[in-house]
Amino acid sequence: MNERKLQSQKDFKRKPNKRRLGSDYEEKAAEFLQKNGYRIMERNFRCKIGEIDLIARDGRYLVFIEVKYRTSESQGNALEAVNWRKQEIIRKVALFYLIRFGWPLDTPCRFDVVGITGEQVQLIKNAF
């Protein structure tokens, strides 16, 4: 094997798996939410339209939660990463979820965002 290929394999092993890293942060967010009274119902709900990281109950609300993380503020605020395009996808997936599982369409719903920057966890209720 040539040196270049060996170096490439070493670099690959050092890079964190994005999906696993995302799952770790989503777990951290779920623990934070549970400590704040949420009951987690679903994790990583996917359909053809897109994905919702967490679905939970908070009192009478069915809450659709997007989790964003950044290692530092130098990459921008984690909470700002949920742009209008992402919000539209989450809304459509939430509607699909309601219909697919037979929830009444007048179920009180909310869209929250959990931002994790380093070790700091922030929650914005009713973010959009």
Side-chain angles (χ1 to χ4, degrees):
M1 241 186 237
N2 66 30
E3 283 184 42
R4 189 174 184 186
K5 192 169 187 176
L6 282 173
Q7 185 61 41
S8 175
Q9 288 175 341
K10 287 178 187 175
D11 288 343
F12 177 76
K13 289 178 183 177
R14 274 188 249 152
K15 291 180 184 175
N17 177 319
K18 279 188 116 175
R19 184 169 292 202
R20 191 164 125 201
L21 188 62
S23 292
D24 290 346
Y25 282 106
E26 287 166 7
E27 182 58 35
K28 185 175 184 171
E31 289 172 9
F32 174 84
L33 292 167
Q34 287 171 326
K35 287 178 185 174
N36 285 280
Y38 287 63
R39 187 170 55 89
I40 305 299
M41 298 171 53
E42 299 268 353
R43 295 168 192 263
N44 299 310
F45 176 77
R46 289 183 178 91
C47 66
K48 288 182 180 181
I49 303 165
E51 175 193 10
I52 294 177
D53 296 326
L54 298 168
I55 301 173
R57 291 296 300 224
D58 182 30
R60 66 187 192 99
Y61 288 95
L62 181 62
V63 188
F64 299 94
I65 304 151
E66 178 69 8
V67 178
K68 289 294 182 184
Y69 67 92
R70 297 286 183 262
T71 53
S72 71
E73 288 281 337
S74 66
Q75 300 170 335
N77 186 306
L79 298 170
E80 294 171 352
V82 185
N83 61 27
W84 67 270
R85 208 172 270 138
K86 183 66 175 173
Q87 292 173 20
E88 267 308 298
I89 291 169
I90 293 169
R91 281 187 193 100
K92 289 176 183 176
V93 176
L95 181 59
F96 176 84
Y97 180 87
L98 291 171
I99 293 168
R100 168 74 175 83
F101 293 103
W103 288 85
L105 293 180
D106 62 351
T107 300
C109 295
R110 197 174 70 215
F111 297 93
D112 293 359
V113 176
V114 174
I116 303 173
T117 304
E119 292 300 312
Q120 182 183 7
V121 181
Q122 292 179 284
L123 168 64
I124 297 182
K125 290 184 177 189
N126 206 23
F128 55 94

